[in-house]
Amino acid sequence: MIVLGLILLLIGFLTGISILWTIGIVLIVVGVVLWILGATGHAVAGRERWY
């Protein structure tokens, strides 16, 4: 999700399409939040690690 956000940011910046820029920022923020929650051991969307 973070990588997709970065790609959309880059495409939005190069083409000047502001909606891609906005979606990219949102995807990066959501990806970072989910990454932090997963790293701290919290269940994300009802899923837990099995190892």
Side-chain angles (χ1 to χ4, degrees):
M1 191 173 286
I2 297 171
V3 174
L4 180 62
L6 288 173
I7 292 170
L8 287 176
L9 274 177
L10 182 63
I11 292 172
F13 178 74
L14 294 176
T15 61
I17 302 173
S18 62
I19 191 71
L20 291 180
W21 183 262
T22 305
I23 293 171
I25 291 173
V26 169
L27 283 178
I28 289 174
V29 169
V30 170
V32 167
V33 167
L34 290 176
W35 181 31
I36 291 172
L37 286 175
T40 58
H42 291 279
V44 176
R47 297 174 188 239
E48 296 181 18
R49 291 189 208 175
W50 295 101
Y51 53 91

